[in-house]
């Protein structure tokens, strides 16, 4: 969500920034509808759009025909307008995408599974980023990165499954000139929460809590479309709340983390299996097996994980008082594998005054694409502030 600024040349672009937000929030919006939302007359809207077209910000095209009547047009990002590069780093690999000011990511390249050595991985991604920058030139205004690890002050401080520590992700951009785009770094769960709040299941919800499980659990509290990131960007590490067994040491360095009770490591422990090398793959395989094999030990493991998940969510609801809770990643099938145990634990953990009308818990709609969508949204937020739009316009010929 762009925040208006007050730079010396920015004032005349305030309405333009608001129009971009409308186009992003309502794909296919017509000029007449946008003018109504802005509270301006049709003539003023025509003049505003002409000005934005001259500087390659917005354009319009004929809308799909719908019966008789005068054809209308819809607003969309200008084909020569500003772009962000969105990068996603996850346990399953990496993706690089571009997004215009409509914040819809278009995947450019996909990489294989990450290794325990960050240097070669970042070098490969940096090569893709450089290729896009050479192709698009000054249209690239920011690089927005989603990473499945703990973030502090735009650095990846801990990516436990791969043993990455204190990695400078600004290396994804070769800063050979003062015009190099900024690198914005965000936690994957935080960005997935942003995506669900803006364009997903929690769209229009005032206060939404999003939780995602892969190896461990993370999330975000999103208030009026803006994630709460804390003092240094590290908020939302819910998996490291001590809801678990205090005698268990988590790889993060803390004891009793909730993480250890809600993912593949917990399922293996409850089944009596050895710790899996890949808890994410182990969970998916167990979910597949469960569909065809009625094994009481497996179902009991899912019941215990479902109970822990429901109970922990109740605790977070008591803390944050959200209007809605959305789920992503493995949280969705894990809840579905033990619905009664999940619901019983969730309702049992709520304070009495919440039990009669508990926040609804719904599946997110972005699925595994949530972090990439969130990275695109965060990048577009950065390049569509009033000052950023004014700077872009001043550079146009």
């Amino acid at each position: 969500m762009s925040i208006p600024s007050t730079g010396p040349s920015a004032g005349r672009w305030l309405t333009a920034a608001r129009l971009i937000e409308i186009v992003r929030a309502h794909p296919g919006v017509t000029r007449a509808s946008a003018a109504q939302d802005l509270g301006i007359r049709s003539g003023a809207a025509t003049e505003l759009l002409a000005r934005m077209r001259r500087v390659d910000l917005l354009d319009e095209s004929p809308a799909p025909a719908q019966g008789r009547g005068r054809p209308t047009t819809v607003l969309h990002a200008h084909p020569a307008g500003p772009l962000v590069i969105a990068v996603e780093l996850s346990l399953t690999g990496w993706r690089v995408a571009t997004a215009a000011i409509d914040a819809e990511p278009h995947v450019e390249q996909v990489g294989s599974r990450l290794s325990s050595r960050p240097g070669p991985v970042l070098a490969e991604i940096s090569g893709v980023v450089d290729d896009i920058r050479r192709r698009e030139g000054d249209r690239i205004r920011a690089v927005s990165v989603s990473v499945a690890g703990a973030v502090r002050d735009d650095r990846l401080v801990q990516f436990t499954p791969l043993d990455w520590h204190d990695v400078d992700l600004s290396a994804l951009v070769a800063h050979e000139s003062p015009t190099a785009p900024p690198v914005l770094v965000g936690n994957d769960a935080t960005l997935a929460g942003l995506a669900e709040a803006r364009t997903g299941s929690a769209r229009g919800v005032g206060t939404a809590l999003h939780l995602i499980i892969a190896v461990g659990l993370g999330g975000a509290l999103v208030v009026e479309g803006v994630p709460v990131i804390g003092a240094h960007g590290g908020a939302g590490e819910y998996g490291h709340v001590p809801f678990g067994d205090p005698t268990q040491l988590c790889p993060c360095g803390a004891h009793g983390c909730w993480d250890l009770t809600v993912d593949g490591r917990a399922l293996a422990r409850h089944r009596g299996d050895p710790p899996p090398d890949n808890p994410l793959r182990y969970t998916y395989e167990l979910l597949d097996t469960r569909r065809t094999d009625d094994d009481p030990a497996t179902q009991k493991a899912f019941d215990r994980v479902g109970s822990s998940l429901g109970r922990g969510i109740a605790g977070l609801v008591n803390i944050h008082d959200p209007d809605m809770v959305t789920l992503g990643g493995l949280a969705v099938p894990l809840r579905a594998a033990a619905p009664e145990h999940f619901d019983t634990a969730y309702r049992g953990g709520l304070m009495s005054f919440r039990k009669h009308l508990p926040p609804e818990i719904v599946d997110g709609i972005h699925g595994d694409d949530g972090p990439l969508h969130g990275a695109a949204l965060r990048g577009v937020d950065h390049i569509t502030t009033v000052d950023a739009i004014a700077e872009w316009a001043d550079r146009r010929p």
Side-chain angles (χ1 to χ4, degrees):
M1 184 175 296
S2 304
I3 301 175
S5 186
T6 55
S9 62
R12 65 194 182 101
W13 292 106
L14 177 59
T15 307
R18 292 173 57 202
L19 178 56
I20 289 172
E21 287 190 1
I22 291 171
V23 171
R24 187 161 70 243
H26 304 285
V29 67
T30 65
R31 191 196 313 175
S33 294
Q36 186 175 14
D37 288 345
L38 288 170
I40 61 177
R41 297 182 181 275
S42 60
T46 300
E47 181 181 343
L48 173 62
L49 181 60
R51 181 153 55 103
M52 297 181 74
R53 185 185 288 114
R54 284 196 298 271
V55 296
D56 303 335
L57 281 170
L58 287 181
D59 206 347
E60 60 183 340
S61 300
Q66 294 183 348
R68 297 181 177 180
R70 183 172 22 181
T72 186
T73 59
V74 295
L75 306 183
H76 55 79
H78 196 286
L83 298 171
V84 301
I85 296 175
V87 179
E88 179 193 22
L89 290 158
S90 72
L91 286 173
T92 58
W94 57 265
R95 291 189 290 176
V96 177
T98 51
I101 56 177
D102 58 6
E104 182 65 30
H106 299 277
V107 175
E108 301 269 352
Q109 194 158 331
V110 177
S112 59
R113 189 173 171 79
L114 306 186
S115 72
S116 59
R117 297 172 57 221
V121 174
L122 298 186
E124 186 177 6
I125 299 173
S126 178
V128 177
V129 170
D130 288 346
D131 288 344
I132 296 173
R133 290 180 62 201
R134 281 190 289 268
R135 184 187 77 203
E136 302 295 349
D138 71 347
R139 292 183 66 197
I140 303 300
R141 312 305 295 168
V143 177
S144 181
V145 184
S146 165
V147 61
V151 171
R152 180 182 175 88
D153 295 331
D154 286 337
R155 293 178 71 90
L156 170 61
V157 295
Q158 193 168 12
F159 192 5
T160 303
L162 295 180
D163 201 29
W164 290 15
H165 298 277
D166 197 27
V167 178
D168 181 8
L169 294 178
S170 68
L172 292 173
V173 172
H175 293 275
E176 74 286 350
S177 74
T179 60
V183 178
L184 314 171
V185 180
N187 172 264
D188 63 335
T190 300
L191 294 172
L194 172 64
E196 288 299 334
R198 295 278 192 86
T199 60
S201 295
R203 179 176 175 175
V205 173
T207 301
L209 174 65
H210 183 68
L211 298 172
I212 183 172
I213 296 176
V215 177
L217 178 149
L221 184 71
V222 186
V223 181
E224 302 297 340
V226 179
V228 177
I229 62 171
H232 302 284
E237 292 290 343
Y238 295 120
H240 302 290
V241 175
F243 287 165
D245 181 352
T247 66
Q248 285 189 311
L249 176 64
C250 179
C252 79
H255 285 81
C257 289
W258 190 24
D259 261 7
L260 302 177
T261 72
V262 294
D263 65 7
R265 293 168 292 183
L267 289 170
R269 190 169 63 252
H270 295 321
R271 277 177 41 85
D273 293 340
D277 293 332
N278 186 325
L280 185 63
R281 184 172 61 209
Y282 175 89
T283 304
Y284 279 118
E285 290 174 351
L286 205 60
L287 286 164
D288 286 340
T289 300
R290 176 182 171 274
R291 295 187 182 98
T292 58
D293 183 7
D294 186 16
D295 176 25
T298 298
Q299 185 57 53
K300 185 176 180 180
F302 279 114
D303 290 344
R304 294 184 67 176
V305 166
S307 293
S308 180
L309 181 59
R311 186 166 51 251
I313 291 175
L316 297 181
V317 166
N318 291 338
I319 294 169
H320 288 311
D321 189 29
D323 297 301
M324 176 183 286
V325 179
T326 56
L327 302 179
L330 284 172
V332 174
L334 288 174
R335 176 197 186 193
E340 293 183 3
H341 284 75
F342 176 92
D343 290 341
T344 298
Y346 174 55
R347 291 181 176 273
L350 293 172
M351 300 169 68
S352 295
F353 78 94
R354 300 187 192 279
K355 293 182 188 294
H356 72 286
L357 194 63
E360 185 180 9
I361 302 176
V362 302
D363 297 343
I365 68 171
H366 286 301
D368 293 338
D369 291 330
L372 189 66
H373 277 269
L377 281 163
R378 187 188 182 199
V380 169
D381 278 354
H382 184 83
I383 70 170
T384 55
T385 64
V386 180
D387 279 337
I389 292 171
E391 181 184 0
W392 167 265
D394 289 343
R395 290 173 177 266
R396 295 297 92 188

